[in-house]
């Protein structure tokens, strides 16, 4: 059975978009029951003296019953449900006799003899920002009243559910961080070892056989040492940025930024690299677009994406930077007409699989950290980083960031 009726549809929450985003961040919708939630739901039924109890997460169209006590269904439609009404309340919503409540007296759960729902009491699960994620509720087939102590206890148990949800989210985040650390350390160990093997090997050759080497060979060794040193320095630079981000030493400090000025400033620092391959960089941005973002993170993000485009674009190629506004965000794209990638290569991009890395059109080496940092910087701005690519035709990296209030007003 489901707590649903098409006869009394609750209005959407005033902050429905933010509410759904908050719910998604917990990554609990659609997941199976867990004992820490089951214990609380069982306690709700005992405290309220009800035959059934639920921990109901309210999604866009569905209710997901994360935990159930004496209740068979795993989910139900949102429209017309008791829970869709309950999330509109800051306090406990109590329906003592649903047959006498005009919102629910025609609900099949109330009118059907096999279910015969009469009593419902639901406490919203509120985030620190006051956004309701769902409801913890008691259900019975007999009319009931609740004492002040029962009401207060139900609210306390709702707070305990939210505390468990926060703990669940924190554990998931820590697991993700540990996975990222393992990934990054594998990249670092591989890159540093390879770089220093070359640097130490050729340094030893110069030290022991300098007088016997031809000038051409000396120049080739010097060029290799210079390139390896720059690559290793970039690796350490990316590593430092990642470490600062993970340790909270790189706080997210958004402010109003003029997009074209930020991009032009970043491109200016890459013109020398582009000129070495005779690559033309076109900036095609709308004027007077202001974004809400962290200057350092966005500079590093754009620098990495353009740097990658230069790496994989052949001589006399073109890189185009353009934007598109959509409601409350702007999508910035870096497009090149370079080597391009297969669908399999695109899927591996953000997995940190260094063994599958590709050299640039001039044999340039990457650090393996750049795109992973880009992804994290975009996530800090609550945006998405997307890639479109075709072998031999080039790639386009696009990311979204919020427009500033200056533009929206």
């Amino acid at each position: 059975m489901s707590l649903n009726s098409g006869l009394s549809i609750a209005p959407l929450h005033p902050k429905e978009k933010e509410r759904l985003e908050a719910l998604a961040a917990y990554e609990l919708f659609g997941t199976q029951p867990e004992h820490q939630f089951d214990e609380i739901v069982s306690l709700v039924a005992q405290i309220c003296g009800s035959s059934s109890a639920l921990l109901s997460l309210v999604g866009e169209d569905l209710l997901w019953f994360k935990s159930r006590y004496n209740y068979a269904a795993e989910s139900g439609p949102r429209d017309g449900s008791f829970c869709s009404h309950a999330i509109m309340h800051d306090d406990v919503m109590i329906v003592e006799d649903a047959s006498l409540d005009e919102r629910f007296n025609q609900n099949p759960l109330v009118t059907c003899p096999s279910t015969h729902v009469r009593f419902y009491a639901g406490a919203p699960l509120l985030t620190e920002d006051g956004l309701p994620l769902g409801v913890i509720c008691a259900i019975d087939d007999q009319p009931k009243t609740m004492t002040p102590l029962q009401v207060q206890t139900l609210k306390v148990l709702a707070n305990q559910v939210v505390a468990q949800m926060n703990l669940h989210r924190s554990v998931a985040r820590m697991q993700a961080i540990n996975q990222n650390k393992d990934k990054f350390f594998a990249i670092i160990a591989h890159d540093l070892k390879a770089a220093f093997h070359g640097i130490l090997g050729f340094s030893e050759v110069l030290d022991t056989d300098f007088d016997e080497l031809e000038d051409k060979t000396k120049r080739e060794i010097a060029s290799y040492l210079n390139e390896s040193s720059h690559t290793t320095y970039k690796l350490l630079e990316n590593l430092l940025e990642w470490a600062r981000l993970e340790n909270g030493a790189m706080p997210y400090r958004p402010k109003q930024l003029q997009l074209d000025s930020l991009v032009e400033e970043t491109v200016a620092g890459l013109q020398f690299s582009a000129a070495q391959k005779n690559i033309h960089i076109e900036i095609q941005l709308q004027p007077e677009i202001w974004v809400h973002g962290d200057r350092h993170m966005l500079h590093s993000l754009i620098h990495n994406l353009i740097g990658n485009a230069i790496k994989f674009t052949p001589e006399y190629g073109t890189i185009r930077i353009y934007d598109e506004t959509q409601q409350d965000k702007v999508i910035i794209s870096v497009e090149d007409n370079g080597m391009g990638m297969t669908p399999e290569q695109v899927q591996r991009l953000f997995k940190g699989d260094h063994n599958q890395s590709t050299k640039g059109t001039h044999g340039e080496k990457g650090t393996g950290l750049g795109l992973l940092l880009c992804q994290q910087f975009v996530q800090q701005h609550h945006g998405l980083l997307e890639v479109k690519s075709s072998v031999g035709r080039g790639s386009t990296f696009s990311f979204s960031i919020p427009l500033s209030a200056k533009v929206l007003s």
Side-chain angles (χ1 to χ4, degrees), residues 157-225:
L157 292 174
N159 291 336
Q160 286 300 307
V161 169
V162 175
Q164 287 294 331
M165 291 175 69
N166 288 335
L167 179 61
H168 183 282
R169 183 177 59 179
S170 297
V171 170
R173 285 177 175 174
M174 289 302 299
Q175 290 173 341
I177 289 172
N178 286 334
Q179 288 175 357
N180 284 338
K181 285 180 178 177
D182 292 342
K183 184 187 301 180
F184 284 134
F185 287 147
I187 294 169
I188 293 160
H190 180 280
D191 280 7
L192 285 179
K193 186 176 180 180
F196 277 108
H197 272 169
I199 291 172
L200 291 171
F202 279 112
S203 297
E204 184 177 351
V205 170
L206 287 177
D207 184 45
T208 58
D209 302 319
F210 186 85
D211 293 333
E212 287 76 25
L213 295 174
E214 296 181 359
D215 288 344
K216 180 183 178 181
T217 303
K218 292 176 184 177
R219 283 193 295 270
E220 289 174 348
I221 292 176
S223 176
Y224 174 85
L225 291 174

Side-chain angles (χ1 to χ4, degrees), residues 339-350:
M339 298 165 55
M341 293 174 285
T342 65
E344 292 74 20
Q345 287 175 312
V346 171
Q347 289 181 355
R348 289 197 299 262
L349 276 180
F350 303 103

Side-chain angles (χ1 to χ4, degrees), residues 167-402:
L167 179 61
H168 183 282
R169 183 177 59 179
S170 297
V171 170
R173 285 177 175 174
M174 289 302 299
Q175 290 173 341
I177 289 172
N178 286 334
Q179 288 175 357
N180 284 338
K181 285 180 178 177
D182 292 342
K183 184 187 301 180
F184 284 134
F185 287 147
I187 294 169
I188 293 160
H190 180 280
D191 280 7
L192 285 179
K193 186 176 180 180
F196 277 108
H197 272 169
I199 291 172
L200 291 171
F202 279 112
S203 297
E204 184 177 351
V205 170
L206 287 177
D207 184 45
T208 58
D209 302 319
F210 186 85
D211 293 333
E212 287 76 25
L213 295 174
E214 296 181 359
D215 288 344
K216 180 183 178 181
T217 303
K218 292 176 184 177
R219 283 193 295 270
E220 289 174 348
I221 292 176
S223 176
Y224 174 85
L225 291 174
N226 180 60
E227 180 186 343
S228 294
S229 297
H230 278 290
T231 301
T232 306
Y233 178 78
K234 183 62 178 176
L235 171 64
L236 293 175
E237 193 175 50
N238 281 341
L239 173 60
L240 179 60
E241 283 204 328
W242 171 78
R244 290 175 61 204
L245 187 65
E246 291 295 325
N247 293 331
M250 187 190 292
Y252 173 59
R253 292 175 177 166
K255 61 181 180 179
Q256 286 189 350
L257 301 170
Q258 192 168 12
L259 181 60
D260 53 2
S261 296
L262 178 64
V263 172
E264 287 168 5
E265 174 188 326
T266 308
V267 168
L270 289 162
Q271 286 291 7
F272 179 76
S273 297
Q276 287 183 312
K277 297 174 72 173
N278 295 297
I279 291 172
H280 176 58
I281 301 179
E282 296 179 359
I283 301 176
Q284 300 175 352
L285 299 175
Q286 303 172 72
E288 294 299 319
I289 294 295
W290 291 76
V291 298
H292 186 67
D294 183 289
R295 174 177 287 277
H296 175 79
M297 290 185 185
L298 290 180
H299 174 82
S300 181
L301 168 61
I302 297 168
H303 187 280
N304 268 297
L305 293 182
I306 298 174
N308 266 358
I310 293 172
K311 173 182 173 183
F312 293 109
T313 299
E315 282 195 288
Y316 300 100
T318 299
I319 295 170
R320 187 166 72 101
I321 306 162
Y322 59 94
D323 63 351
E324 176 189 357
T325 53
Q326 291 185 358
Q327 297 180 338
D328 57 350
K329 65 184 178 182
V330 60
I331 300 172
I332 300 120
S333 298
V334 178
E335 175 190 85
D336 66 61
N337 60 352
M339 298 165 55
M341 293 174 285
T342 65
E344 292 74 20
Q345 287 175 312
V346 171
Q347 289 181 355
R348 289 197 299 262
L349 276 180
F350 303 103
K351 294 182 178 179
D353 186 352
H354 184 85
N355 294 328
Q356 301 293 337
S357 62
T358 306
K359 291 184 178 180
T361 56
H362 276 195
E364 303 99 321
K365 297 178 181 178
T367 68
L369 287 173
L371 283 179
L372 295 173
L373 275 172
C374 287
Q375 187 179 47
Q376 288 192 309
F377 287 154
V378 172
Q379 289 172 350
Q380 287 283 322
H381 289 79
H382 306 289
L384 293 174
L385 177 60
E386 298 180 322
V387 186
K388 294 181 181 178
S389 190
S390 178
V391 174
R393 300 183 65 180
S395 303
T396 301
F397 286 77
S398 302
F399 64 93
S400 59
I401 53 175

